[in-house]
């Protein structure tokens, strides 16, 4: 049976515990918004085992005390001993992760937070939870920290305060992270297959989970070779920085043996350094020729060729290059890459990505079906912002929708559908990170017409005043347009920010990295994997092209507190405002389902678009010229005169340009 | 003589006067690019917020002079472009005919430098590919930028090959005192020029007196009468005496 995403049981079922687990699971189905974990030993710490653990359940749920359930009331003494041993071990785990300074000694939290109960016939989960509900905010935090220790969802204690902070910004930065059921399952459940696929919307914690998985493998195996990779160079650099920091706070005692046991690098690399990337290592290891990406050789061809070359090796001579391979942002790769990984990895390949990153991906349904873990709870973005981003991306508030998902796809992206004929409401479940924040009256998403630069500065000023602890790097300003104007815009903005706030800015399109204490400025290309409390997206107008809408969607979801969308033109702003108001009020996207014919039309358009995407810009232009029957002699003139701004895969503006200039060039 | 002055906002002064002294050509290119951004913007800055000045002097020679309000440091590098003033803004161009066998047309002979081109250069010299051992990896970003701007490589090559003509006037009390204590004041005179920047090439020329940024500009202006180095031993004692007073 597929568990829902907030319930996780790590207990092997037996005759003693079967009934009780069923009761709790049933309760969880009735109360799907409550996070519940069942364990009988601390997760993530293999060395702790107990004689009595088969006859006990530890029931964990945030906002409730930690409940030890005895399943055999004849053995009360043994149960007591189990509880004592468990608490002692928990005490030493708390020492290990430096939690003690925050939660105190076991003697203290034992009295405050540990309770013992018998799971006899009358045992009722609801009564139990009611009885042990915690009201005090600070005690809740302490309790959450203990749950995080038991479930292995370790928080970097340096960043946590025991007292709940005052401002929303600090509260959210300080929220204790507890992995939900599906996340915990991914870390601890072992599936009986070589390639494991994880689908997760951006912000669902994929990278974090891969790091935990990496640690699990690294700590619990000896002499294994592990490669952790992704497509994007900047992201690979960030990952390589993060691994030692992560291992450090996770108290991994084993030294990291770089390029001997562990590689963290992007998927290509250079021919001169075998450790500079996955592909370069494979070429070196199997002694096969190194090909390079070019306009005529795609990555798909390169991987296919590499696999073919490796397949030629005789079985008795074949060696595995790695034991484990972890892949992040898998949507950036062609499937040939995973086939190659499957071939060269001895044990397992973990593939994490987000097929919805392109909200116009064709055939999502088939791909969702092959996924082993679906993370659909977005912990980064406020659900209201995410709903709005999806809506504006797919044109859900507009007469003509740009995309429509099937029910399975809506579910996989975390939506609950409520239908009333063609009228549809799409809901998202609330998220722990945003619980109890009293953000009801706080707008997470704001859309405005942009009149002057000053307006941007005033917004920053306002954010600054409402958040006294705000740092420059809490703000990202993203210009979603193409073309040269973007660069001028940022240079002007840099000067104004520096002059008014005395803040430095980080032009990420130049530096390609996040820098502390500087406002992050970028075009749409350098925000992969990043999140900010506040994001200001600047654009000309809500264009109808698919690419533009997808960019809008991705950029708006970069914030975890507030996203602003500021547009020079008010085209289609009204519709969005109306839809946004309903999201604010009713916490749902209200829209109408397209007719079957409209859905067909949407599908056709998307498929055609995908085909166009696979051609070069020159081929793209040639197609347009052919369509417009432009004489081949005058095409060169058009090419010369085509402004940079139009040198993108957008058909309509190019057609317009050609039509206007036809009389000059033909 | 064309002479333009551009003020540097005190919040931006570190871009032009980095804490560590300049040691590489990449840093020179970075400063040149930042200067171009500043020139194109030509912002008006109130007196109290001015942290320094960039002076562009064009007169057969073409140089930028950087002066900081805080320190008595002035340095200069070559400005290898054409500049035109149109009302209150500037257009900067690179002439590219040197590399072409033929001249396409009057208009095609110049690359107009815009913010995008500048940002792409900055991004390129800061990226890992720039340090790659393999030439083909080196060209990956160049190829990428060329798709948007066909002049990128021509522009970049000009920057990589240009003679930057770095020279700095330094008034450095701290290091002079240290040198004086060790009796090595002639290894580090109080007032001096530093020529070149890489450790294999750089050397000092001592100066007897403090000089102004105008003196530096005059010194480097080839239309002005040139200055002479006088035999060191003749003035050595006089210099020591003077600085000890």
């Amino acid at each position: 049976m597929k568990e829902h995403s907030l319930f996780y049981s790590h207990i092997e079922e037996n005759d003693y515990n079967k009934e009780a687990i069923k009761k709790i699971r049933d309760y969880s189905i009735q109360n799907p918004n409550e996070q519940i974990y069942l364990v009988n030993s601390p997760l993530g710490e293999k060395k702790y085992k107990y004689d009595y653990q088969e006859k006990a359940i530890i029931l964990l749920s945030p906002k409730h005390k930690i409940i030890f359930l005895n399943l055999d009331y004849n053995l009360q003494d043994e149960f007591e001993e189990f509880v004592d041993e468990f608490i002692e071990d928990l005490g030493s785990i708390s020492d290990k992760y430096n939690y003690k300074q925050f939660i105190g000694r076991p003697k203290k939290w034992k009295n405050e937070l540990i309770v013992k109960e018998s799971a006899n016939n009358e045992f009722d989960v609801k009564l139990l939870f009611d009885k042990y509900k915690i009201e005090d905010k600070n005690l809740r935090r302490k309790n959450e920290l203990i749950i995080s220790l038991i479930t292995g969802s370790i928080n970097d204690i340096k960043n946590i305060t025991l007292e709940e902070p005052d401002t929303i910004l600090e509260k959210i930065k300080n929220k204790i992270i507890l992995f939900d059921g599906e996340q915990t399952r991914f870390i601890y459940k072992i599936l009986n297959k070589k390639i494991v696929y994880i689908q997760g919307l951006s912000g669902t914690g994929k990278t974090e989970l891969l790091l935990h998985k990496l640690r699990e493998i690294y700590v619990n195996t000896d002499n294994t070779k592990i490669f952790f990779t992704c497509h994007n160079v900047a992201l690979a650099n960030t990952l390589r920085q993060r691994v030692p920091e992560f291992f450090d706070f996770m108290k991994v005692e084993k030294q990291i043996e770089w390029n001997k046991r562990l590689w963290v690098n992007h998927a290509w690399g250079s021919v001169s350094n075998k450790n500079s990337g996955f592909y370069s290592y494979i070429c070196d290891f199997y002694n096969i020729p190194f090909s390079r990406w070019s306009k005529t050789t795609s990555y798909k061809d390169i991987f296919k060729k590499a696999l073919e070359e490796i397949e030629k090796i005789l079985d008795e001579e074949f060696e595995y290059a790695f034991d484990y391979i972890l892949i992040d942002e898998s949507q950036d790769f062609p499937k040939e890459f995973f086939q190659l990984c499957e071939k060269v990895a001895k044990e397992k390949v973990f593939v994490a990505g987000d097929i919805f990153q392109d909200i116009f991906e064709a055939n999502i349904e088939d791909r969702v079906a092959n996924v082993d873990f679906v993370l659909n709870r977005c912990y980064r973005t406020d659900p209201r912002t995410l709903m709005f981003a999806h809506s504006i991306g797919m044109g859900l508030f507009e007469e003509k929708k740009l995309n429509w998902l099937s029910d399975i796809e809506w579910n996989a992206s975390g939506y609950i559908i409520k239908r009333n004929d063609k009228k549809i409401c799409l809901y998202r479940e609330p998220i722990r990170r945003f619980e109890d924040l009293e953000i009801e009256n706080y707008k997470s998403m704001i859309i405005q017409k942009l009149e002057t630069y000053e307006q941007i500065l005033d917004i920053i000023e306002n954010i600054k005043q409402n958040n006294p602890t705000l740092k420059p790097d809490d703000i990202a300003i993203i210009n979603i347009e193409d073309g040269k104007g973007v660069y001028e815009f940022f240079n002007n903005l840099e000067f104004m920010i520096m002059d008014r706030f005395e803040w430095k800015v980080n032009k990420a399109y130049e530096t390609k990295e996040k820098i502390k204490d500087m406002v992050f400025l970028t075009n749409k290309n350098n925000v992969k994997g990043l999140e900010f409390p506040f994001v200001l997206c600047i654009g000309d107008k809500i264009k109808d092209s698919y690419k533009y809408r997808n960019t809008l969607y991705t950029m708006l979801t970069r914030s975890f507190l507030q996203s602003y969308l500021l547009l020079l033109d008010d085209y289609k702003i009204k519709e969005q405002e109306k839809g946004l108001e309903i999201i604010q009020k009713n916490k749902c996207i209200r829209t109408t389902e397209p007719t079957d014919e409209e859905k067909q039309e949407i599908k056709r358009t998307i498929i055609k678009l995908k085909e166009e995407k696979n051609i070069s810009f020159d081929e793209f232009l040639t197609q347009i010229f052919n369509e417009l029957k432009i004489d081949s002699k005058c095409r060169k003139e058009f090419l010369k005169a085509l402004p940079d701004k139009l040198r993108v895969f957008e058909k309509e503006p190019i057609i317009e340009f050609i039509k206007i200039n036809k009389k000059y060039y033909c | 003589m064309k002479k333009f002055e551009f003020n540097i906002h005190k919040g931006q002064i570190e871009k032009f006067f980095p804490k560590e002294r300049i040691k590489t050509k990449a840093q020179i290119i970075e400063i040149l690019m930042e200067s171009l951004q500043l020139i194109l913007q030509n912002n008006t800055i109130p007196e109290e917020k001015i942290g320094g000045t960039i002076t562009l002097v064009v007169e057969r020679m073409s140089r930028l002079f950087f002066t900081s309000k805080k320190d008595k440091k002035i340095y200069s590098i070559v400005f290898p472009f054409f500049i035109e003033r149109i009302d209150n803004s500037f257009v900067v161009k690179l002439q590219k005919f040197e590399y072409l066998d033929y001249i396409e047309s009057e208009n095609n002979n110049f690359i107009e430098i815009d913010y995008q081109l500048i940002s792409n250069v900055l991004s390129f010299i800061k990226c890992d590919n720039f340090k790659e051992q393999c030439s083909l990896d080196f060209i990956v970003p160049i190829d990428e930028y060329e798709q948007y701007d066909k002049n990128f490589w021509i522009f970049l090559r000009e920057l990589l090959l240009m003679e930057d003509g770095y020279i700095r006037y330094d008034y450095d009390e701290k290091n002079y005192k240290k040198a004086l204590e060790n009796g090595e004041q002639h290894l580090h005179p109080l007032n001096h020029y530093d020529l070149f920047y890489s450790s294999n090439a750089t050397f000092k020329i001592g100066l007897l007196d403090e000089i102004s940024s105008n003196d530096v500009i005059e010194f480097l202006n080839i239309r002005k009468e040139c200055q002479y180095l006088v035999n060191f031993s003749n003035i050595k004692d006089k210099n020591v005496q003077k600085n000890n007073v």
Side-chain angles (χ1 to χ4, degrees):
Chain A
M1 191 187 79
K2 190 137 179 74
E3 310 274 17
H4 78 78
S5 68
L6 289 186
F7 178 79
Y8 179 68
S9 167
H10 196 74
I11 299 180
E12 216 172 291
E13 293 194 20
N14 59 35
D15 288 344
Y16 293 100
N17 61 25
K18 212 163 58 188
E19 271 306 300
I21 292 178
K22 187 180 175 304
K23 267 191 184 173
I24 301 167
R25 184 178 277 134
D26 288 346
Y27 171 86
S28 157
I29 292 166
Q30 299 298 319
N31 299 276
N33 288 332
E34 279 183 45
Q35 175 67 58
I36 295 171
Y37 314 85
L38 304 183
V39 300
N40 53 14
S41 65
L43 306 183
E45 307 278 333
K46 289 237 155 85
K47 60 183 174 185
Y48 300 116
K49 291 269 178 292
Y50 310 93
D51 294 339
Y52 196 74
Q53 72 183 50
E54 288 180 0
K55 295 177 184 172
I57 292 174
I58 303 162
L59 174 56
L60 307 170
S61 179
K63 296 186 194 166
H64 301 95
K65 291 186 178 182
I66 290 154
I67 306 168
F68 282 74
L69 288 173
N70 185 9
L71 303 166
D72 188 343
Y73 58 92
N74 292 321
L75 297 173
Q76 198 56 36
D77 288 350
E78 284 84 345
F79 173 68
E80 295 282 347
E81 198 178 318
F82 162 72
V83 176
D84 287 344
E85 283 174 4
F86 189 98
I87 289 171
E88 195 187 318
D89 292 341
L90 201 50
S92 54
I93 300 173
S94 143
D95 275 357
K96 178 173 162 185
Y97 295 112
N98 301 329
Y99 271 41
K100 202 166 80 183
Q101 46 177 321
F102 288 87
I103 59 175
R105 288 182 179 282
K107 215 162 71 187
K108 185 143 183 286
W109 49 258
K110 189 179 155 187
N111 290 333
E112 287 172 326
L113 292 165
I114 305 284
V115 293
K116 291 173 258 185
E117 285 282 337
S118 273
N120 52 26
N121 292 340
E122 285 110 70
F123 146 75
D124 182 305
V125 185
K126 188 175 180 308
L127 287 180
L128 214 55
F129 275 147
D130 286 347
K131 186 172 165 190
Y132 293 120
K133 201 165 168 54
I134 307 171
E135 297 297 342
D136 181 74
K137 274 186 183 168
N138 291 337
L139 197 58
R140 273 187 191 171
R141 279 181 79 76
K142 199 187 256 193
N143 188 58
E144 282 173 16
L145 284 171
I146 293 174
I147 294 178
S148 75
L149 283 178
I150 301 176
T151 56
S153 173
I154 307 300
N155 286 258
D156 194 347
I157 205 75
K158 286 200 295 285
N159 304 329
I160 300 285
T161 56
L162 190 59
E163 301 238 325
E164 190 163 274
D166 298 329
T167 65
I168 295 179
L169 177 64
E170 288 308 305
K171 268 185 196 166
I172 211 150
K173 281 183 175 175
N174 253 291
K175 190 89 188 174
I176 295 159
I177 295 161
L178 286 179
F179 285 143
D180 68 26
E182 189 76 349
Q183 291 175 318
T184 320
R185 240 188 306 285
F186 167 67
I187 301 174
Y188 299 114
K189 274 269 145 83
I190 296 162
L191 295 188
N192 192 17
K193 55 193 290 212
K194 195 168 183 180
I195 295 204
V196 178
Y197 289 99
I198 304 108
Q199 153 61 27
L201 295 182
S202 69
T204 49
K206 290 182 297 287
T207 308
E208 196 71 20
L209 290 179
L210 284 175
L211 286 169
H212 274 270
K213 196 83 203 178
L214 176 68
R215 171 200 166 259
E216 270 282 297
I217 301 167
Y218 199 82
V219 171
N220 294 320
T221 58
D222 286 313
N223 303 320
T224 46
K225 286 167 76 184
I226 310 161
F227 205 113
F228 187 7
T229 192
C230 63
H231 186 289
N232 181 289
V233 182
L235 181 64
N237 292 342
T238 319
L239 289 177
R240 198 167 42 255
Q241 260 172 29
R242 275 186 73 183
V243 169
E245 288 166 19
F246 179 79
F247 274 26
D248 195 38
F249 96 76
M250 286 299 286
K251 308 290 171 200
V252 173
E253 279 147 15
K254 284 186 185 173
Q255 199 84 36
I256 301 181
E257 296 179 57
W258 289 112
N259 300 338
K260 203 172 151 213
R261 271 201 71 197
L262 179 61
W263 287 256
V264 182
N265 226 321
H266 66 121
W268 321 110
S270 66
V271 69
S272 55
N273 176 3
K274 68 173 182 178
N275 293 320
S276 61
F278 181 81
Y279 177 69
S280 52
Y281 188 87
I282 295 290
C283 287
D284 182 79
F285 188 86
Y286 293 108
N287 199 16
I288 57 176
F290 183 93
S291 318
R292 204 175 291 277
W293 178 85
S294 74
K295 281 167 197 151
T296 50
T297 323
S298 70
Y299 287 131
K300 192 175 152 172
D301 302 332
I302 295 173
F303 293 134
K304 211 169 146 194
K305 213 177 110 202
L307 185 60
E308 280 164 10
E309 292 284 337
I310 297 169
E311 299 274 4
K312 285 184 200 156
I313 301 170
L314 298 172
D315 280 353
E316 57 268 31
E317 285 169 17
F318 179 80
E319 273 181 67
Y320 291 105
F322 299 103
D323 295 283
Y324 295 89
I325 298 168
L326 295 92
I327 303 161
D328 200 2
E329 303 285 359
S330 61
Q331 74 280 354
D332 297 343
F333 290 102
K335 65 175 188 302
E336 285 74 9
F337 182 67
F338 311 129
Q339 289 163 351
L340 176 66
C341 289
E342 190 172 12
K343 175 75 189 172
V344 303
K346 193 172 168 202
E347 302 293 338
K348 286 203 185 292
V349 182
F350 296 99
V351 182
D354 178 15
I355 42 188
F356 291 101
Q357 191 164 74
D358 181 351
I359 49 175
F360 300 108
E361 188 60 73
N363 301 323
I364 291 184
E365 211 169 307
D366 304 342
R367 291 170 69 181
V368 172
N370 289 326
V371 160
D372 300 295
F373 297 94
V374 177
L375 309 170
N376 58 18
R377 302 184 143 256
C378 173
Y379 292 92
R380 173 200 298 144
T381 315
D382 187 302
R384 295 170 294 176
T385 309
L386 187 57
M387 280 192 250
F388 179 77
H390 272 131
S391 304
I392 199 169
M394 298 193 243
L396 299 182
F397 298 139
E398 292 152 49
E399 193 58 36
K400 191 169 172 240
K401 315 271 179 294
L402 296 169
N403 197 8
W404 188 260
L405 303 185
S406 71
D407 287 10
I408 296 175
E409 293 166 350
W410 282 124
N411 286 331
S413 38
Y415 284 99
I416 305 157
I417 312 163
K418 286 194 183 154
R419 262 202 179 78
N420 183 359
D421 193 26
K422 284 281 164 196
K423 292 239 176 299
I424 293 228
C425 281
L426 297 162
Y427 291 88
R428 293 192 80 79
E429 284 164 7
I431 294 296
R432 256 194 83 254
R433 188 177 191 181
F434 301 98
E435 266 178 6
D436 317 320
L437 285 184
E438 288 144 22
I439 48 175
E440 291 293 301
N441 300 321
Y442 183 88
K443 286 191 174 140
S444 75
M445 178 69 232
I446 290 154
I447 176 167
Q448 271 178 16
K449 185 166 186 268
L450 182 66
E451 310 280 354
T452 59
Y453 274 101
E454 291 297 330
Q455 203 177 328
I456 301 173
L457 300 183
D458 290 344
I459 289 172
I460 298 175
E461 181 80 60
N462 195 20
I463 295 174
K464 215 175 146 203
Q465 271 170 12
N466 292 330
N467 300 279
T469 57
L470 185 85
K471 298 201 184 88
D473 53 19
D474 287 332
I475 297 178
I477 303 175
I478 307 170
N479 191 315
I480 51 181
E481 299 297 329
D482 290 301
K484 293 185 189 292
V486 173
Y487 297 87
E488 185 172 357
F489 165 81
F490 279 130
N491 280 310
N492 290 337
L493 195 61
E494 171 186 22
F495 185 81
M496 294 174 91
I497 290 176
M498 181 198 59
D499 190 48
R500 178 141 157 198
F501 303 107
E502 292 181 5
W503 279 351
K504 288 206 170 89
V505 306
N506 166 20
K507 288 184 257 180
Y509 51 92
E510 288 171 7
T511 63
K512 313 271 175 195
E513 60 179 345
K514 207 172 166 174
I515 304 176
K516 246 184 127 190
D517 290 327
M518 295 188 186
V519 182
F520 191 91
L521 306 187
T522 189
N523 55 14
K524 59 191 181 185
N525 295 329
N526 301 289
V527 271
K528 195 154 224 162
L530 297 179
E531 58 168 34
F532 303 87
F534 302 94
V535 169
L536 279 64
C537 290
I538 321 282
D540 291 350
K541 70 170 194 177
I542 306 174
K543 292 174 193 155
D544 290 329
S545 91
Y546 281 61
K547 211 175 148 202
Y548 192 85
R549 294 295 182 109
N550 203 62
T551 307
L552 261 178
Y553 157 72
T554 340
M555 298 305 133
L556 290 175
T557 55
R558 296 287 119 191
S559 81
F560 57 80
L561 262 182
Q562 243 178 359
S563 289
Y564 286 80
L565 177 58
L566 307 168
L567 298 152
L568 293 171
D569 191 300
D570 53 13
Y571 177 70
K572 284 194 174 171
I573 286 189
K574 274 257 148 48
E575 292 97 306
Q576 316 300 336
E577 274 175 338
K578 243 168 93 186
L580 179 59
E581 215 171 283
I582 295 169
I583 293 177
Q584 285 283 3
K585 224 163 68 194
N586 305 336
K587 298 202 174 53
C588 79
I589 300 171
R590 196 185 291 162
T591 178
T592 42
E593 188 166 357
T595 62
D596 289 345
E597 274 159 40
E598 286 168 332
K599 282 186 196 168
Q600 286 303 320
E601 176 59 34
I602 288 170
K603 257 215 170 106
R604 273 198 297 276
T605 317
I606 291 177
I607 289 169
K608 204 165 151 230
L609 196 86
K610 293 290 145 183
E611 286 166 4
E612 282 173 3
K613 209 176 145 187
N614 290 326
I615 58 176
S616 72
F617 187 69
D618 287 348
E619 287 169 316
F620 177 71
L621 275 182
T622 310
Q623 274 185 8
I624 298 176
F625 284 137
N626 289 344
E627 243 174 70
L628 297 176
K629 299 203 172 70
I630 300 292
D631 194 57
S632 52
K633 272 179 255 163
C634 49
R635 288 180 185 185
K636 215 176 156 190
E637 291 300 314
F638 276 113
L639 272 177
K640 265 192 197 160
L642 192 71
D644 284 333
K645 209 174 173 161
L646 295 184
R647 289 181 189 271
V648 286
F649 286 86
E650 273 181 45
K651 214 164 163 179
E652 293 308 319
I654 296 176
I655 291 179
E656 203 177 315
F657 174 80
I658 294 175
K659 279 183 177 161
I660 292 171
N661 292 295
K662 215 170 154 180
K663 56 175 182 273
Y664 306 114
Y665 299 133
C666 288
Chain B
M1 183 173 83
K2 269 200 242 176
K3 189 173 171 189
F4 301 112
E5 274 194 10
F6 305 92
N7 289 324
I8 306 170
H9 193 287
K10 58 183 181 189
Q12 283 180 310
I13 200 78
E14 262 176 46
K15 285 186 180 178
F16 304 99
F17 291 88
K19 282 186 184 126
E20 299 262 313
R21 78 177 171 84
I22 294 164
K23 283 182 187 138
T24 67
K25 176 87 178 256
Q27 283 171 289
I28 297 278
I29 295 174
E30 206 177 317
I31 287 172
L32 188 57
M33 292 301 102
E34 294 288 355
S35 308
L36 283 176
Q37 281 184 349
L38 191 133
I39 290 169
L40 290 182
Q41 276 187 289
N42 192 25
N43 286 309
T44 314
I45 302 168
E47 187 58 38
E48 71 275 12
K49 288 185 179 172
I50 295 172
T53 315
I54 300 179
T55 313
L56 170 61
V57 180
V58 183
E59 164 85 51
R60 269 188 69 197
M61 39 68 90
S62 171
R63 277 183 171 272
L64 293 170
F65 295 86
F66 301 82
T67 31
S68 150
K69 246 184 173 181
K70 207 176 86 203
D71 306 310
K72 288 179 192 163
K73 285 187 200 315
I74 304 151
Y75 70 93
S76 170
I77 56 174
V78 160
F79 183 76
F81 312 114
F82 285 88
I83 188 162
E84 244 177 284
R85 183 180 200 144
I86 299 168
D87 298 329
N88 203 28
S89 59
F90 290 88
V91 177
V92 183
K93 291 175 181 173
L94 173 75
Q95 193 171 21
K96 64 179 183 182
F97 73 99
E98 278 180 52
Y99 300 104
L100 295 176
D101 295 338
Y102 61 96
I103 296 169
E104 289 181 12
S105 74
E106 201 57 27
N107 282 339
N108 267 341
N109 211 5
F110 288 94
I111 299 170
E112 185 174 333
I113 299 164
D114 59 40
Y115 291 110
Q116 184 178 20
L117 190 56
I118 298 167
S119 282
N120 288 346
V121 170
L122 282 168
S123 155
F124 179 74
I125 57 172
K126 286 174 189 173
C127 82
D128 291 340
N129 292 66
F130 190 61
K131 297 160 208 144
E132 273 297 344
Q133 299 171 35
C134 170
S135 60
L136 288 169
D137 290 318
F138 175 81
I139 63 165
V140 170
I142 300 177
D143 182 53
E144 191 196 319
Y145 295 135
E146 263 180 356
Q147 290 182 22
Y148 303 99
D149 192 337
K150 53 187 185 306
N151 290 320
F152 181 73
W153 170 239
I154 300 174
F155 185 62
L156 182 69
R157 180 178 49 196
E158 174 63 35
L159 295 173
L160 294 175
L161 293 180
M162 76 170 202
E163 179 172 14
D164 49 46
Y166 176 87
I167 181 167
R168 174 174 83 150
Y169 162 70
D170 193 11
Y171 174 92
D172 181 352
E173 231 176 330
K174 203 176 121 206
N175 281 314
Y176 169 70
K177 273 189 180 150
K178 231 194 262 168
L180 193 63
E181 277 166 26
N182 299 327
E184 290 175 340
Q185 64 273 35
H186 295 300
L187 288 181
H188 198 292
L190 180 60
N191 291 289
H192 64 264
Y193 278 123
D194 286 307
L195 274 80
F196 312 119
Y197 46 82
S198 72
S199 49
N200 286 337
T202 186
F203 66 92
K204 295 185 196 320
I205 295 174
L207 295 165
L208 292 178
D209 290 306
E210 211 180 304
I211 54 173
S212 71
S213 59
N214 251 345
D215 295 332
V216 179
I217 294 173
E218 295 236 324
F219 171 50
L220 295 174
N221 187 346
I222 48 172
R223 293 272 188 204
K224 301 272 166 172
E225 287 185 342
C226 69
Q227 298 188 1
Y228 288 82
L229 289 174
V230 180
N231 193 331
F232 171 66
S233 52
N234 288 350
I235 57 151
K236 194 172 160 188
D237 300 331
K238 194 176 133 206
N239 188 19
V240 172
Q241 265 173 15
K242 188 172 170 238
N243 283 321
N244 281 341
V245 172

